[in-house]
Amino acid sequence: MTGAFVAAPAAAEPPQIDDSLGSRLVLGVAGLPPMQGLLQISRQLFPERGPYVPWTYQLPPAPVPHTPARGVCPSGSDQCIDDTIAEMESRATVMKADCDDNAPLLLSYLHTTKGEREIARERGGFEHPAHVNDWSTTYAHHYFDAIDNYYVNGRPDLVPESWKQNFRASDDHSLTVFGNVAVAYNAHITHDLPIVIADMGVTAPDGSSYKPDHEKINELLAAAEEGTVAELAALYGAVDPAMAAPYEMEPLTAIAFGQAIQIWREYAWRGGEQLLLAPTPEAKRAVEQQIDNLSNLLGEVILRLFARTDPGPHRSHCPAG
């Protein structure tokens, strides 16, 4: 018999399903009979979505004098938010195509920022809207600066350690998707947010506090939560079952998130106040070191909890669709 030998097509690599101690903890707790019973009760009580229960607004701000804002959007215009979202969308397109393990955080951040923008423009209610726009834009630029200094500008020395924890884990695919998102949000909230709050000031020129607007953002983030959780579950639930669990546990997830976001952001607000109230440069550096130490410690906990235990070698996470 003549003719060229035709090799059989190579078998496709089997999909990798994330596993970790933290993943098993998340799924195990979600599957407990008492938790499932609580879930059914919550769905009967709150068929639309879980209620947001504010409480941090009862904690008054410290008396901090006005300090000039050091933001990247001094005009405070809505266009700054639109431009920030456009930048996020551009970066997200590239990251998704590259199956970059930094993508889940950015996709979550993008969805939340878009939801926050739409809800804010629909409802309004900010006492200092220009300051909120400047703050939100400046906060996002801390993320842009961290990722650009690490990957593009060749300046990892300018990147906080909590962000480097995230980037190293993303590069070696050592974390589950849930872990990638958690360790990145830890860096952005526990490290970046107190610094941005201090840079932007906590007191307006007329002596009024920016804290009511800070509390309003808590409410908007909670309102945008469900859509963000649903998107991440659709994109990554197949490769990391722990990413699907929060969506499947609604509205309990919404209730828990509403409380967690208040705790995180109240901590950041108080950290910003401490930075502004530090009486000397040495005292301010001590506060900065405390912020760094806590953020790094929490990052280490997340790295250990969500280190992948599924068989290697581990590949990057490609979103569905």
Side-chain angles (χ1 to χ4, degrees), residues 24 37 61 64 79 94 128 140 154 178 211 228 237 269 295:
R24 293 192 293 274
V64 180
Q79 188 61 46
V94 175
H128 306 93
F178 195 106
K211 194 166 191 282
T228 302
W269 180 269
S295 188

Side-chain angles (χ1 to χ4, degrees), residues 19-23 25-26 105 162-163 165-166 169-170 174-191 240 264 294-309:
D19 187 28
S20 70
L21 175 62
S23 302
L25 181 62
V26 169
L105 176 277
S162 54
W163 272 118
Q165 290 174 335
N166 169 68
S170 294
S174 60
L175 288 181
T176 65
V177 180
F178 195 106
N180 280 132
V181 175
V183 78
Y185 266 125
N186 170 66
H188 201 34
I189 295 175
T190 65
H191 179 273
D240 184 357
W264 291 336
L294 178 61
S295 188
N296 296 344
L297 175 61
L298 292 175
E300 286 292 340
V301 171
I302 296 168
L303 291 176
R304 292 174 184 271
L305 270 177
F306 292 96
R308 291 175 66 176
T309 56

Side-chain angles (χ1 to χ4, degrees), residues 20 23 31 45 53 129 135 146 168 173 195 201 228 252 291-292 300:
S20 70
S23 302
L45 292 174
V53 184
W135 172 87
R168 289 192 295 262
H173 319 306
I195 295 171
T228 302
L252 286 181
I291 291 170
D292 280 346
E300 286 292 340

Side-chain angles (χ1 to χ4, degrees), residues 262-280:
Q262 290 182 84
I263 294 171
W264 291 336
R265 286 174 48 83
E266 183 67 20
Y267 159 78
W269 180 269
R270 300 305 171 182
E273 288 180 336
Q274 290 180 28
L275 288 169
L276 290 169
L277 290 171
T280 65

Side-chain angles (χ1 to χ4, degrees), residues 144-183:
F144 296 151
D145 289 346
I147 200 167
D148 287 346
N149 282 327
Y150 192 85
Y151 288 106
V152 180
N153 301 332
R155 294 300 307 271
D157 55 302
L158 299 179
V159 180
E161 175 60 26
S162 54
W163 272 118
K164 286 192 278 193
Q165 290 174 335
N166 169 68
F167 298 144
R168 289 192 295 262
S170 294
D171 291 345
D172 62 23
H173 319 306
S174 60
L175 288 181
T176 65
V177 180
F178 195 106
N180 280 132
V181 175
V183 78

